[in-house]
Amino acid sequence: MNCLEVIEELKTRASEKYKVNVVRMGIPEQYSIGVSTAEVRSLAKKIQKSNELALELWITGYHEAKLLAVLLMNPKEMTKDAVEQLIGDVISWDLCDHLCKSLLIKMECRNALLEGWITSSQTYRKRAAFTLIASSVLHDKKLTDEILDHYLELIAQYSDDEREHVKKAASWALREIGKRDFNYNEKVLLLAHEFAESDSKALKWIGKDAIKELETLVKTEGRRRLISSKSQMGKESAGTEE
């Protein structure tokens, strides 16, 4: 399929109801087709990966075409400069997170990217930095304590940001580190309580938001990471097996 054929296929999978949701996220209506992420993923499985096609789809400006483009990109063929251009076009939290979790997490330069973006004044560059921390902690089993401690230092230093999409990502990063084990749960709770007692409204919100989950975590058999006791109790009451 070429770029035009892919766009036409996306349009056949569109719904007005979903388009309203896309526009509500801040995507201009003229760049919203109205296709769910599940449909985008389904279509991606039918198209051969191609960075050339992906970039053609990206520059159409359509939100769903960009989501699809990310899934068609080969991380081994992407450069840091190319990624810098992509992130500059991001105007929504979902595309930001999708780009990080589906592509950037697989690139060797991800730590260099997050180090550069965490000081950015641009909303989605800074959100991407925290999203990459959260995704790295969640998926990279080889992360050392040294790297995790450095991530905590970055969160402590750069989380004071009132922008909703930034502070939510900072809380997410904090909570994922706190789920690593009880040692990191304790470290993260100490920082979260510092935040909660801060005069900064942003830090106060992040701290309280993180504490709500971090103080409920338990260790369960068969799981590498801690989970919420509320989730565990829900499974037990429903009779769900691991």
Side-chain angles (χ1 to χ4, degrees):
M1 299 176 75
N2 61 35
C3 183
L4 290 177
E5 290 170 336
V6 173
I7 296 299
E8 287 305 311
E9 178 63 24
L10 283 170
K11 289 179 178 179
T12 67
R13 298 172 181 238
S15 74
E16 283 301 315
K17 181 180 179 180
Y18 198 80
K19 184 173 182 177
V20 171
N21 292 335
V22 176
V23 173
R24 190 178 292 130
M25 285 192 296
I27 307 300
E29 186 171 0
Q30 65 268 34
Y31 292 120
S32 305
I33 299 175
V35 184
S36 70
T37 304
E39 284 287 344
V40 170
R41 290 188 179 279
S42 174
L43 179 56
K45 293 177 182 178
K46 301 179 180 180
I47 304 174
Q48 185 174 359
K49 284 186 178 291
S50 164
N51 281 30
E52 182 179 354
L53 174 59
L55 291 174
E56 288 178 4
L57 288 168
W58 186 275
I59 64 176
T60 65
Y62 287 118
H63 179 66
E64 294 85 350
K66 290 180 178 179
L67 291 172
L68 179 57
V70 171
L71 298 174
L72 298 180
M73 291 176 181
N74 184 341
K76 293 181 180 179
E77 296 177 4
M78 292 297 292
T79 65
K80 187 171 179 290
D81 287 343
V83 169
E84 290 285 0
Q85 291 183 336
L86 295 180
I87 197 68
D89 292 336
V90 173
I91 59 171
S92 66
W93 68 265
D94 68 322
L95 180 56
C96 175
D97 293 2
H98 180 70
L99 181 64
C100 291
K101 294 188 289 185
S102 299
L103 181 69
L104 306 189
I105 191 66
K106 301 172 185 176
M107 296 180 65
E108 293 183 0
C109 65
R110 74 169 188 262
N111 278 324
L113 290 170
L114 76 85
E115 292 275 358
W117 292 345
I118 205 161
T119 61
S120 177
S121 60
Q122 187 187 60
T123 298
Y124 295 109
R125 274 191 165 87
K126 191 163 185 179
R127 180 183 175 94
F130 288 118
T131 300
L132 281 173
I133 289 175
S135 298
S136 296
V137 175
L138 187 58
H139 298 293
D140 189 347
K141 297 179 182 179
K142 297 180 180 179
L143 282 186
T144 64
D145 288 356
E146 182 180 7
I147 293 175
L148 285 170
D149 289 340
H150 179 58
Y151 285 166
L152 274 178
E153 290 172 1
L154 291 176
I155 294 169
Q157 188 171 358
Y158 297 109
S159 290
D160 193 358
D161 194 308
E162 284 287 350
R163 290 171 292 185
E164 181 179 8
H165 291 168
V166 174
K167 67 183 183 182
K168 284 186 175 181
S171 172
W172 178 24
L174 200 59
R175 286 180 282 120
E176 290 301 343
I177 296 175
K179 294 176 188 176
R180 168 84 166 204
D181 54 36
F182 284 119
N183 176 40
Y184 275 96
N185 182 254
E186 183 178 356
K187 286 185 179 183
V188 172
L189 272 171
L190 286 172
L191 179 58
H193 279 286
E194 284 183 25
F195 280 5
E197 295 167 7
S198 169
D199 292 332
S200 162
K201 290 183 179 179
L203 292 181
K204 192 181 293 291
W205 184 92
I206 293 167
K208 289 182 177 180
D209 188 60
I211 289 168
K212 283 188 295 185
E213 183 172 13
L214 292 169
E215 289 189 337
T216 70
L217 298 182
V218 295
K219 181 69 176 176
T220 62
E221 185 177 352
R223 286 184 176 268
R224 178 172 59 93
R225 292 162 54 77
L226 306 181
I227 66 168
S228 169
S229 59
K230 296 177 182 178
S231 299
Q232 181 64 14
M233 286 189 291
K235 289 179 63 178
E236 290 173 352
S237 63
T240 304
E241 294 183 0
E242 189 65 47

